[in-house]
Amino acid sequence: MKNLSLCQVLWITLIFSCSIRASVRADTAEDEDCPSLANATSLQQTQLIQRLTHVCRYDRLERPIEYDNVTAQRLPIVVKTRIYVYFLQNLNSDLLQFKMHALLQLRFQDKRLAYKAFGRYENILGQKHLSERLWLPHIFFANERESSILGTDEKDVLTSLSAEGNVIISTRMQATLYCFMNFKKFPFDQQFCSTVLESWMYNTSDLVLEWEQDSPISFDPEMKLTEYNLARYWHNTTVVESDGINLRHGAFTGNYSSLSFTVNLKREIGFYLLDYYVPSMMIVAISWVSFWLQADASPPRIMLGTSTMLSFITLSSSQSKTLPKVSYIKVSEVWFLGCTFFIFGSLVEFAFVNTIWRRKENIELKKVNSKYIIKSTLTPRPARRQIGGSLSNESRARSCSSLDNIVSSTESVRNGNGNVNQGFNNYLTVHPNLPIIKTECADTVSICSERTSNDHIVDVDQDKKDTPTTFTTMTPQEIAMWIDRRSRFLFPTMFLAFNALYWTFVYIL
């Protein structure tokens, strides 16, 4: 009996111990499945975050859900956004982009993370390891070409969690963004570059982006730009539609919330005035030095014209090599064409006066003014003395006769006997009964008289003798020097007029 009773006692003891162990294991398993927050005030921040984000309470793949108290409809989560700009790099005109260093701050409320009801009120701060345990909205730059999070050993991501469940994510990042630019007014242009943020995964029924009420956009007061001046900026809130054709958001269709802010950058023209406009004016003025050189000085005038043309082309190409190849005409190209016209005009003027200089005949003018000089040089005619001389020689060499055997005195005539009679210069053999016609030409006025056999003279141009015309003779060298003297004043005057029109047009723009 004693042995039996002892065995029963041992058996009962074993069963009791097993039941105790089972109950302890059940309680432990229950605590491990959903840890309690009753002692939240005594927990460390890491322990508190672990219990708040435990799978029994929190699913980081699911967005925070709120319902309307009246209609009981599911409301989208509102994400407040703020951007603080540290640095704006000058626009890259060739690639149509700009670089920005900024702090992007997102704020939203997730009531699943509230711990105020457990008697704890201080905020929880953490870096990337904290943000990895939370649900975060997926926001991207719509005009992004390249972006990255700044940081040395660890990425610069700051996460703040308040007792009411407000989550603030602050990220220091750099982004290279696309900016379409219009260069019609270059270098007096101003560009409008936007930064566009959009929701990637959730449409407007699940997530809405909004700017913060106070200072949504701010800039570092120490930020300086070299080539541009920040004139103004503004922000905007829009909705972007994504469909089967416009796949802005992958394979998802619908309306997506979007935020944007635009900066107005005006180009500083001081660099271009000192490095482009003033040197180009000096180059054009240097090309006018050829007007003070003699017209037959071909080597120095050609060298001066070609060197100024090549120098100006090199200067212009250095300014435009950083710009994209556009098809429209820029304001700087209007200046380039105008200066090229004046430099090329000096070369054409040299070719014109050099051609006149090499002429040998004098030119007779009715008046010494621009109209008659230019007309006479463009359409030269022989001197009146030469015209009179040619007419006199022709009258001596030819006569009118009805006889068939009358030939020129310069020709040889064979007689009936076969002998050749040599002709005589400046003499004609005519019939004695025919009248003799003789033409005389004076140096100043042509007076044609018809003399008959009885020596009776009839004046034909009596009216011309009564009203004689006077002419002035100028040598080609005098005309060439006259054109050079006029060019010394004409070219600068035209260039000043071009400058006035150009800068007036720029001011109006």
Side-chain angles (χ1 to χ4, degrees):
M1 289 296 292
K2 287 183 178 181
N3 293 334
L4 182 61
S5 61
L6 182 59
C7 291
Q8 290 178 352
V9 171
L10 293 174
W11 179 256
I12 292 171
T13 304
L14 180 61
I15 293 174
F16 181 74
S17 62
C18 291
S19 63
I20 293 175
R21 289 181 179 180
S23 62
V24 172
R25 289 177 181 176
D27 294 339
T28 305
E30 182 179 358
D31 293 339
E32 291 178 356
D33 291 342
C34 191
S36 175
L37 292 173
N39 57 345
T41 56
S42 62
L43 295 176
Q44 297 178 356
Q45 289 189 357
T46 303
Q47 294 175 341
L48 180 59
I49 290 297
Q50 290 177 352
R51 293 191 181 189
L52 286 174
T53 59
H54 197 273
V55 293
C56 66
R57 298 187 179 91
Y58 190 85
D59 185 5
R60 68 182 303 269
L61 297 180
E62 185 179 359
R63 72 171 182 86
I65 300 175
E66 294 184 7
Y67 294 92
D68 191 353
N69 296 329
V70 179
T71 61
Q73 293 182 353
R74 188 175 180 178
L75 300 176
I77 183 173
V78 179
V79 179
K80 299 288 186 177
T81 307
R82 176 183 284 120
I83 293 181
Y84 180 84
V85 180
Y86 297 105
F87 167 74
L88 270 179
Q89 191 177 11
N90 286 332
L91 305 183
N92 191 331
S93 302
D94 189 17
L95 300 178
L96 300 179
Q97 64 185 19
F98 69 100
K99 184 178 290 186
M100 176 182 65
H101 290 189
L103 173 67
L104 176 62
Q105 188 177 92
L106 304 176
R107 181 175 66 87
F108 60 93
Q109 186 178 27
D110 191 347
K111 293 183 177 180
R112 298 174 297 177
L113 300 175
Y115 53 87
K116 185 177 181 180
F118 301 99
R120 191 158 181 166
Y121 302 99
E122 67 271 12
N123 295 337
I124 299 177
L125 300 177
Q127 298 188 34
K128 187 177 180 181
H129 65 277
L130 177 58
S131 62
E132 291 177 350
R133 302 181 67 90
L134 307 179
W135 175 90
L136 299 177
H138 192 167
I139 309 298
F140 74 101
F141 291 101
N143 58 335
E144 171 192 353
R145 288 191 172 179
E146 183 182 1
S147 66
S148 60
I149 299 176
L150 298 176
T152 54
D153 296 337
E154 190 172 355
K155 299 299 182 181
D156 296 341
V157 179
L158 176 63
T159 306
S160 175
L161 178 61
S162 67
E164 293 80 10
N166 294 321
V167 182
I168 300 177
I169 306 295
S170 302
T171 306
R172 288 184 66 248
M173 60 188 309
Q174 65 176 0
T176 302
L177 306 174
Y178 170 78
C179 176
F180 179 77
M181 304 177 193
N182 190 341
F183 298 100
K184 289 183 178 180
K185 300 179 182 179
F186 175 84
F188 308 96
D189 57 331
Q190 55 179 340
Q191 305 298 337
F192 300 90
C193 295
S194 300
T195 302
V196 184
L197 294 92
E198 295 182 10
S199 172
W200 171 255
M201 182 176 178
Y202 299 100
N203 54 26
T204 53
S205 61
D206 294 325
L207 187 145
V208 175
L209 294 175
E210 294 181 359
W211 289 110
E212 290 279 6
Q213 295 295 329
D214 299 331
S215 302
I217 307 295
S218 55
F219 294 86
D220 189 351
E222 300 297 329
M223 185 184 71
K224 304 294 182 181
L225 298 176
T226 56
E227 188 176 354
Y228 292 89
N229 181 27
L230 180 60
R232 58 193 178 101
Y233 62 92
W234 62 91
H235 55 83
N236 192 16
T237 302
T238 57
V239 174
V240 178
E241 181 181 359
S242 179
D243 51 22
I245 299 176
N246 182 18
L247 297 177
R248 293 174 61 92
H249 301 81
F252 301 100
T253 60
N255 297 327
Y256 291 81
S257 181
S258 175
L259 300 177
S260 64
F261 79 93
T262 305
V263 293
N264 180 16
L265 301 175
K266 292 185 177 180
R267 193 185 300 272
E268 296 287 347
I269 64 172
F271 169 79
Y272 295 94
L273 287 176
L274 297 177
D275 284 36
Y276 179 62
Y277 284 98
V278 173
S280 60
M281 292 179 187
M282 296 177 65
I283 291 175
V284 173
I286 291 173
S287 66
W288 300 336
V289 176
S290 62
F291 302 149
W292 273 263
L293 300 178
Q294 196 165 321
D296 62 341
S298 299
R301 296 190 70 163
I302 292 176
M303 183 188 68
L304 188 62
T306 54
S307 60
T308 52
M309 176 67 75
L310 294 177
S311 300
F312 180 70
I313 293 175
T314 304
L315 177 65
S316 301
S317 61
S318 64
Q319 298 297 329
S320 60
K321 65 181 180 181
T322 58
L323 299 178
K325 308 302 184 292
V326 294
S327 58
Y328 50 80
I329 297 179
K330 301 184 286 291
V331 174
S332 61
E333 292 176 344
V334 175
W335 178 264
F336 169 78
L337 294 176
C339 294
T340 304
F341 171 79
F342 283 99
I343 297 175
F344 182 74
S346 65
L347 286 171
V348 174
E349 192 271 349
F350 159 68
F352 183 62
V353 298
N354 184 262
T355 302
I356 297 174
W357 183 279
R358 289 184 285 107
R359 291 179 183 175
K360 297 181 179 180
E361 297 83 4
N362 296 340
I363 298 176
E364 293 185 352
L365 306 171
K366 291 183 179 180
K367 295 180 180 180
V368 182
N369 56 23
S370 303
K371 174 182 176 181
Y372 291 101
I373 290 178
I374 299 299
K375 183 178 179 180
S376 300
T377 52
L378 293 178
T379 58
R381 58 182 180 179
R384 300 184 60 85
R385 184 186 301 272
Q386 296 177 357
I387 296 176
S390 62
L391 291 176
S392 178
N393 294 332
E394 184 179 0
S395 64
R396 299 191 190 99
R398 298 181 182 274
S399 63
C400 298
S401 175
S402 61
L403 298 178
D404 296 336
N405 58 351
I406 301 300
V407 296
S408 176
S409 61
T410 59
E411 297 178 359
S412 299
V413 180
R414 185 180 300 273
N415 55 19
N417 299 328
N419 297 324
V420 178
N421 296 328
Q422 299 294 332
F424 298 93
N425 293 331
N426 300 328
Y427 291 96
L428 294 176
T429 304
V430 297
H431 196 275
N433 295 328
L434 292 178
I436 299 174
I437 301 174
K438 181 180 179 182
T439 304
E440 296 180 357
C441 296
D443 293 337
T444 58
V445 181
S446 297
I447 303 174
C448 298
S449 302
E450 183 178 356
R451 184 183 302 271
T452 57
S453 59
N454 56 358
D455 297 335
H456 180 69
I457 300 175
V458 179
D459 293 334
V460 180
D461 295 332
Q462 183 67 31
D463 295 336
K464 293 184 179 180
K465 289 196 301 180
D466 297 337
T467 58
T469 304
T470 60
F471 291 87
T472 301
T473 302
M474 293 184 67
T475 63
Q477 290 74 20
E478 292 175 343
I479 294 178
M481 290 187 293
W482 183 90
I483 295 176
D484 274 340
R485 287 194 298 268
R486 293 298 184 272
S487 299
R488 296 170 190 173
F489 299 98
L490 179 62
F491 275 74
T493 304
M494 293 177 60
F495 189 67
L496 290 176
F498 168 72
N499 272 268
L501 292 175
Y502 180 83
W503 294 109
T504 302
F505 176 72
V506 169
Y507 178 78
I508 295 175
L509 290 179

